[in-house]
């Protein structure tokens, strides 16, 4: 049994490089690629969004097939495009549902992703690939696990297919009105606690959790945290009581082909841990290009979605009658922020940029090349998250010798180790209590090392750069999970 190659179809609403709003895309862009190197026939299915039009493929030769998908009383056509220059990928094209400027936040998201789930299940009838495993990710794909188990498994074509559901973020659950059951052709008895009811509505995430053969999440600590009231977003008891045996935490990696300071084409100067002194040139040239004062002071970097999850409200607390943000700026530091998100935080950083014009670079945008420049130019990297399923920014920062300052939660706890000056071990700075005071204290600690004990600071940088967070370990862990359930 062990020698037959596994066949796994990843299903995701976003996949790098095709479409990305967050870490989910990075994961599904990298993991299947790595699994293929380990001999798994891993493939991917995703929507064909308007933003991809003309960018990745447009040519007719990528057209594979088309068929109809039934959603309740509605019938919608879907065109399948296929590309395999990175990983064999099936793109589901529907002008009705996906030819829109954004990926999400439309009134009919429930219908759009019900269509996607059903479209992917139907796809299996039209291609020469019957997976052993369908690997679903986040709420957009939850209904697929339900449909597979209750509607499709009676058909011999689907009878042996197992599903796994990976939680990248508990907070986004896909909660919709009960009247939408008809989209999935589900009878009213699915509106029960044992099934997909959630406070009088239906939950796409719950459909994934209950009906998948296995649940994983993206770090061991988060796998435990989501079973608690604080982190479970209302599903903690379901997870801790009913589904406990089905959950496993597997730490994400990063794609070392892309995130490598030795070869990264976006950097001003490439470097490795042996030539880490060249990192400073990246800071100097960054300051010059973006109009920051040209001096060697500690540069704090942030690359993040600007949402509540990421802990930026801590900046608005006060210490000594000062905003934490102003308190930080009293140190001889510079600040660079890249990201988009909630208005409140965008405004806060706009204000910062206005107040400390020559010491801050604030980019309210989504720009991968600039992100990589920031990892290389910054000395420390701030991630004070309220919760963090895994977090990829700290892994990238460490890879580029930028020292992470993080709150000890989820994947941050699993990947960053507080520096110990006696043993010279550790890769960053951690604080546990969710408070602006402790965040500030850790920035101050890093600042003292940076200015007064540069040999220690360099040691922390090197420790981080040498740490391996490649996808190999995760790929092996997922393969074991796959083998266990088929
Ligand atoms: C989500 C989580 C983040 C995780 C990523 C990939 O974006 O917020 O912590 O790293 O998914 O799994």
């Amino acid at each position: 049994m062990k020698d037959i190659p596994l066949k796994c179809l990843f299903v995701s609403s976003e996949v790098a490089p095709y479409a990305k709003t967050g870490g989910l895309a990075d994961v599904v862009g990298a993991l299947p690629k790595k699994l293929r190197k380990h001999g798994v026939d891993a493939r991917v299915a995703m929507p064909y969004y308007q933003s991809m039009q003309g960018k990745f493929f447009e040519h007719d030769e990528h057209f594979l097939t088309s068929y109809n998908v039934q959603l309740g009383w509605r019938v919608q056509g879907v065109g399948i495009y296929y590309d395999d220059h990175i990983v064999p990928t099936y793109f589901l094209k529907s002008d009705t549902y996906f030819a829109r400027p954004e990926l999400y936040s439309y009134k009919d998201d429930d219908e759009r992703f019900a269509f996607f789930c059903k479209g992917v299940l139907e796809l299996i009838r039209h291609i020469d690939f019957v997976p052993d495993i369908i690997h679903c990710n986040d709420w957009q794909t939850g209904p697929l696990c339900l449909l597979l188990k209750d509607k499709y498994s009676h058909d011999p074509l689907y009878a042996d297919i197992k599903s796994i559901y990976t939680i990248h973020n508990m907070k986004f659950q896909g909660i919709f009105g009960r009247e939408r059951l008809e989209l999935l052709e589900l009878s009213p008895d699915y509106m029960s606690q044992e099934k997909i009811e959630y406070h009088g509505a239906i939950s796409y995430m719950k459909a994934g959790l209950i009906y998948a053969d296995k649940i994983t999440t993206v770090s061991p600590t988060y796998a435990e945290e989501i079973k608690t009231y604080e982190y479970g977003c209302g599903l903690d008891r379901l997870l801790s009581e009913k589904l406990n045996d089905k959950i496993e935490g597997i730490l994400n990696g990063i794609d070392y082909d892309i995130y490598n300071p030795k070869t990264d084409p976006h950097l001003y100067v490439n470097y490795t841990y042996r030539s880490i002194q060249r990192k400073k040139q990246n800071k100097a040239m960054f300051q010059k290009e973006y109009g920051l004062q040209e001096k060697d002071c500690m540069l704090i970097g942030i690359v993040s979605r600007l949402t509540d999850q990421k802990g930026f409200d801590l900046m608005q607390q006060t210490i000594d009658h000062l905003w934490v943000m102003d308190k930080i700026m009293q140190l001889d530091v510079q600040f660079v922020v890249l990201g988009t998100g909630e208005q409140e935080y965008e405004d806060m950083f706009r204000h910062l940029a206005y107040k400390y014009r020559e010491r801050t670079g604030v980019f309210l945008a989504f720009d991968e090349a600039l992100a990589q420049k920031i990892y290389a130019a910054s000395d420390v990297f701030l991630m004070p998250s309220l919760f963090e399923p895994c977090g990829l920014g700290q892994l990238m920062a460490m890879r580029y010798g930028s020292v992470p300052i993080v709150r000890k939660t989820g994947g941050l706890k699993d990947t960053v180790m507080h520096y110990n000056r006696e043993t010279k071990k550790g890769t960053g700075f951690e604080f546990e209590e969710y408070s602006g005071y402790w965040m500030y204290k850790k920035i101050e600690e890093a600042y003292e090392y940076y200015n007064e004990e540069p040999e220690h600071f360099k040691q922390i940088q090197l420790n981080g750069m040498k740490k391996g967070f490649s996808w190999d370990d995760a790929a092996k862990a997922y393969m074991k999970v796959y083998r266990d359930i088929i």
Side-chain angles (χ1 to χ4, degrees), residues 63 118 134 144 217 219 255 262 277 293 298 459 461:
F63 176 77
K118 215 157 168 210
I134 300 185
L144 192 153
T217 186
S219 72
D255 192 333
K262 188 176 174 190
Q277 72 285 356
Q293 263 169 24
M298 187 170 93
Q459 186 68 50
Q461 289 179 299

Side-chain angles (χ1 to χ4, degrees), residues 22-24 27 168-169 218 252 305 309-310 388-392:
L24 166 64
V27 171
H168 296 263
N169 198 329
V218 288
N252 286 334
R305 284 180 287 120
Q309 174 193 342
K310 300 296 179 175
E388 197 60 78
C390 177
L392 302 173

Side-chain angles (χ1 to χ4, degrees), residues 329-344:
M329 294 312 286
Q330 284 193 339
L331 304 170
D332 181 20
V333 296
Q334 295 184 349
F335 223 110
V336 173
V337 181
L338 170 66
T340 58
E342 288 157 21
Q343 186 75 36
E344 180 187 353

Side-chain angles (χ1 to χ4, degrees), residues 33-225:
K33 202 164 77 173
K34 192 52 98 178
L35 284 166
R36 292 186 73 80
K37 291 217 172 103
H38 287 269
V40 176
D41 187 353
R43 306 189 186 193
V44 177
M46 70 175 291
Y48 185 140
Y49 296 105
Q50 190 180 49
S51 55
M52 292 156 47
Q53 198 93 35
K55 255 204 221 154
F56 297 100
F57 50 84
E58 211 180 4
H59 321 297
D60 288 346
E61 71 245 37
H62 289 274
F63 176 77
L64 204 63
T65 180
S66 64
Y67 50 89
N68 283 334
V69 177
Q70 178 112 25
L71 281 183
W73 54 266
R74 259 153 277 181
V75 178
Q76 297 280 2
V78 62
I80 302 299
Y81 287 71
Y82 175 79
D83 182 64
D84 63 0
H85 84 276
I86 308 176
V87 163
T89 304
Y90 301 92
F91 300 90
L92 281 75
K93 190 164 192 286
S94 154
D95 289 344
T96 313
Y97 294 122
F98 301 123
R100 307 183 191 184
E102 304 297 330
L103 269 57
Y104 319 116
S105 300
Y106 294 102
K107 271 200 209 121
D108 57 348
D109 276 355
D110 52 346
E111 189 171 328
R112 297 171 72 221
F113 290 103
F115 169 82
F116 177 53
C117 289
K118 215 157 168 210
V120 171
L121 282 166
E122 288 296 320
L123 173 69
I124 293 165
R125 298 188 201 279
H126 297 269
I127 53 176
D128 191 16
F129 181 73
V130 181
D132 302 303
I133 306 278
I134 300 185
H135 190 147
C136 291
N137 296 275
D138 274 354
W139 69 263
Q140 294 87 347
T141 58
L144 192 153
C145 303
L146 185 159
L147 294 173
L148 176 64
K149 190 138 279 169
D150 280 11
K151 300 272 177 186
Y152 281 76
S153 64
H154 314 296
D155 181 331
L157 183 67
Y158 297 86
D160 294 330
I161 306 178
K162 297 287 191 286
S163 69
I164 122 163
Y165 182 80
T166 297
I167 306 166
H168 296 263
N169 198 329
M170 272 314 276
K171 195 159 176 205
F172 305 111
Q173 298 191 0
I175 311 288
F176 303 107
R178 57 188 299 162
E179 69 283 358
R180 309 307 267 161
L181 278 181
E182 47 110 17
L183 275 179
L184 299 164
E185 291 163 43
L186 298 175
S187 63
D189 55 274
Y190 279 85
M191 276 303 288
S192 71
Q193 269 211 356
E194 289 67 45
K195 299 193 169 173
I196 61 171
E197 187 269 348
Y198 181 83
H199 296 293
I202 58 172
S203 160
Y204 276 22
M205 171 168 283
K206 205 168 158 188
L209 298 177
I210 296 209
Y211 292 90
D213 296 291
K214 176 90 187 177
I215 303 165
T216 66
T217 186
V218 288
S219 72
T221 293
Y222 195 61
E224 292 309 312
E225 286 175 341

